[in-house]
Amino acid sequence: MMSQVRGAQLARLLGQWHALPGRRRSPDYAALAGAVRGLLADGRLPLGVRLPAERELAEALRISRTTVTAAYRELRESGHLASRRGAGSWTMLPGNHRMAGTGLWTPLDDRDMIDLGVAALAAPPELLPAARAAAEDLPCYLGGAGYHPTGIIELREAIAHAYAQRGLPTSPEQIMVTSGTQHALDLVLRLAHSPGGSVLVEAPSYPNALAALAARRARITTHGLALDEPGWDADLLLGTLRQGRPKLAYLIPDFQNPTGHLMPASLRERLVATAHAVGTDLIVDESFVDLPLDGTVVPPPTASFDRHSRVVTVGGMSKPYWGGLRIGWIRASAPQVQRLAAARVGVDMASPVLDQLVAVHLLAQAPAIVAARQAQLTAQRDALLGALAERLPDWRVTVPHGGVTLWAELDGPISSALARAAEEVGVRLAPGPRFGLDGTLERFLRLPFTLPVADLVEAVGRIAAVRYDLDRAGRPQWREPAVIA
């Protein structure tokens, strides 16, 4: 699926392109070509998108058409643009730079490694008492077969109640309990996506979601997020929906993974309206919605603007509670939930009853548990920011007001090389290209603040030490990468 960026939209993305480093030594066309290459490398300008006609871009930038023509020619010569007479010019990357995500990796059992590849917290102290209480509740279920395809009623009622508290009336019949959020996404894709169908995702986005889409042979179109707030460009996002009319869109509007951005309520409303108008179903991932920081007020759920069953919401307990508790859920219309239950037979029969009972007890204590998590994450985030400012001051980070990750812009396209070097000194990183497609995002790195403060400060010190040795380092040996979650 190919979309088009208009002249005014590209001009806004380019910003102060004249002020790029080396501008005084470069002619206008070279500076413009370099700015476009930078947008592609950062993932803000998707691959396969058609650029505006030369005259249109020249008018938007208030420069001569000759300059734009020369810039497009340079982009074609460098392999960043393909053109065909009568069809226009669209973005690409040079062939030797293309690189695809490979999905979930097998972890290494190395306890000495500081693992910044997984953005998840250790279990809260309330987990063990909740497990004991769940075991005491279990006997009333032992007389049955134990299969509950949509989940036990106590848990579905608790999840529905949590949605109602957020201003979204929900019945238990609209909830399906799954074995984690990734399982929820897989089930929704099985029901709503046909192989080869078109899907819109953010860039960057969650690697395991991209892997799930790749497994379904999806034709993926991306919407590039800016480093600064609000992240989403409303005109570009809605314009891509209108032009491409994808079957599905997978979005993370609440403290987006990995950028931490929070989509404003006004865009959520426009997004749902546009999706309905063009026939796109929205899969909204709310994995981080329970973790606002700094007193941030979370906008209404995206599904609260839905009147036509266009929004399917997935969430779970991995981020606010514990990743080892494999409890997720899907919120959809009651008929959709029944169809999902029928599709589930091809995956598994039901989620474990004991785990669901543990979840019931944890959700009953949600206010206290979440408040403690927020305080913990705030302290760890601030410590990580302080360490980065001291040891790596050339890196640029937008402070997230929720979630569990920082998205750092590095001082060069070194993310993958840095990850390999950091592995040698006992720090596991998730490099930027893992969150995108085709080798982009080499200037970025995701840094979760889910580890203790001492570990985060130590990790930054080790990263800083290897950063300054990269230019002199020899060719690294291949290492098996680890889980990114």
Side-chain angles (χ1 to χ4, degrees):
M1 178 174 61
M2 184 185 301
S3 59
Q4 180 176 4
V5 59
R6 307 303 307 180
Q9 294 170 332
L10 182 55
R12 186 168 60 252
L13 287 175
L14 289 166
Q16 299 297 320
W17 59 275
H18 284 95
L20 291 173
R23 167 64 189 93
R24 295 182 179 179
R25 299 188 300 273
S26 303
D28 282 352
Y29 76 87
L32 178 56
V36 173
R37 282 193 292 266
L39 290 175
L40 286 168
D42 292 349
R44 294 188 59 198
L45 184 62
L47 300 179
V49 67
R50 191 168 66 186
L51 294 187
E54 295 170 359
R55 185 184 302 277
E56 181 184 352
L57 182 58
E59 292 175 354
L61 295 176
R62 299 182 179 179
I63 58 177
S64 71
R65 181 178 177 182
T66 302
T67 299
V68 177
T69 300
Y72 278 18
R73 182 175 62 249
E74 179 165 310
L75 289 168
R76 285 192 293 270
E77 291 173 352
S78 65
H80 292 83
L81 199 64
S83 301
R84 188 168 66 247
R85 185 177 299 275
S89 301
W90 57 95
T91 56
M92 57 184 292
L93 284 183
N96 61 345
H97 289 166
R98 300 185 70 83
M99 175 178 149
T102 55
L104 190 65
W105 286 327
T106 302
L108 296 174
D109 188 13
D110 187 350
R111 297 185 181 275
D112 294 328
M113 184 73 66
I114 300 177
D115 194 347
L116 295 181
V118 176
L121 293 158
E126 293 86 352
L127 181 62
L128 190 55
R132 293 192 181 108
E136 294 177 0
D137 295 340
L138 187 60
C140 66
Y141 280 92
L142 298 180
Y147 297 130
H148 302 270
T150 60
I152 63 173
I153 185 60
E154 297 96 325
L155 182 52
R156 288 187 288 126
E157 287 176 343
I159 297 168
H161 178 67
Y163 277 110
Q165 287 184 314
R166 294 172 55 204
L168 180 59
T170 303
S171 68
E173 290 73 28
Q174 291 178 269
I175 301 297
M176 179 179 186
V177 178
T178 64
S179 299
T181 308
Q182 188 72 14
H183 180 217
L185 175 60
D186 181 77
L187 286 174
V188 173
L189 292 178
R190 284 173 178 266
L191 184 68
H193 178 73
S194 300
S198 56
V199 181
L200 173 67
V201 302
E202 297 142 334
S205 189
Y206 179 46
N208 295 335
L210 297 177
L213 290 168
R216 300 291 299 173
R217 291 183 289 164
R219 291 187 293 113
I220 299 176
T221 296
T222 59
H223 169 68
L225 298 183
L227 183 65
D228 299 321
E229 296 290 352
W232 294 268
D233 185 309
D235 290 342
L236 279 175
L237 175 59
L238 302 181
T240 301
L241 281 175
R242 294 188 188 101
Q243 293 175 31
R245 296 178 174 266
K247 172 61 177 174
L248 294 174
Y250 168 79
L251 303 170
I252 313 173
D254 299 289
F255 311 116
Q256 200 262 353
N257 184 7
T259 64
H261 291 318
L262 182 64
M263 183 182 287
S266 58
L267 180 53
R268 297 175 189 228
E269 184 173 13
R270 295 174 64 193
L271 174 66
V272 174
T274 303
H276 172 63
V278 302
T280 298
D281 291 327
L282 301 178
I283 304 174
V284 174
D285 188 336
E286 290 189 336
S287 293
F288 301 92
V289 71
D290 293 324
L291 296 174
L293 307 178
D294 307 323
T296 299
V297 177
V298 180
T302 306
S304 65
F305 301 105
D306 183 27
R307 302 292 181 271
H308 306 281
S309 298
R310 284 289 182 191
V311 178
V312 175
T313 305
V314 298
M317 303 190 70
S318 295
K319 303 307 180 183
Y321 297 92
W322 187 45
L325 185 67
R326 302 308 301 150
I327 294 294
W329 53 78
I330 301 168
R331 184 202 178 274
S333 68
Q336 286 174 311
V337 167
Q338 291 304 310
R339 291 196 293 272
L340 285 163
R344 182 175 191 166
V345 175
V347 183
D348 67 354
M349 297 298 292
S351 299
V353 171
L354 184 58
D355 286 17
Q356 294 184 69
L357 290 170
V358 174
V360 170
H361 285 279
L362 288 175
L363 289 176
Q365 305 174 70
I369 295 175
V370 169
R373 293 302 216 191
Q374 290 169 329
Q376 174 187 359
L377 287 168
T378 300
Q380 292 170 183
R381 178 202 62 183
D382 293 346
L384 179 57
L385 287 168
L388 289 170
E390 179 182 355
R391 301 299 304 272
L392 292 159
D394 292 334
W395 291 13
R396 189 163 74 98
V397 180
T398 298
V399 180
H401 296 291
V404 300
T405 63
L406 302 179
W407 185 238
E409 182 178 9
L410 313 183
D411 53 344
I414 57 170
S415 184
S416 296
L418 183 63
R420 291 191 293 267
E423 188 96 3
E424 299 290 339
V425 296
V427 179
R428 182 170 294 136
L429 298 175
R434 294 289 294 115
F435 300 86
L437 302 170
D438 300 298
T440 62
L441 304 173
E442 274 289 1
R443 292 184 62 88
F444 293 90
L445 184 69
R446 189 189 74 172
L447 295 169
F449 41 91
T450 50
L451 296 180
V453 167
D455 287 346
L456 294 173
V457 173
E458 175 65 20
V460 172
R462 297 184 192 181
I463 294 169
V466 299
R467 165 63 190 98
Y468 298 112
D469 290 334
L470 276 184
D471 292 338
R472 297 187 297 274
R475 184 174 181 178
Q477 294 182 346
W478 173 259
R479 277 183 173 268
E480 188 71 20
V483 166
I484 293 178

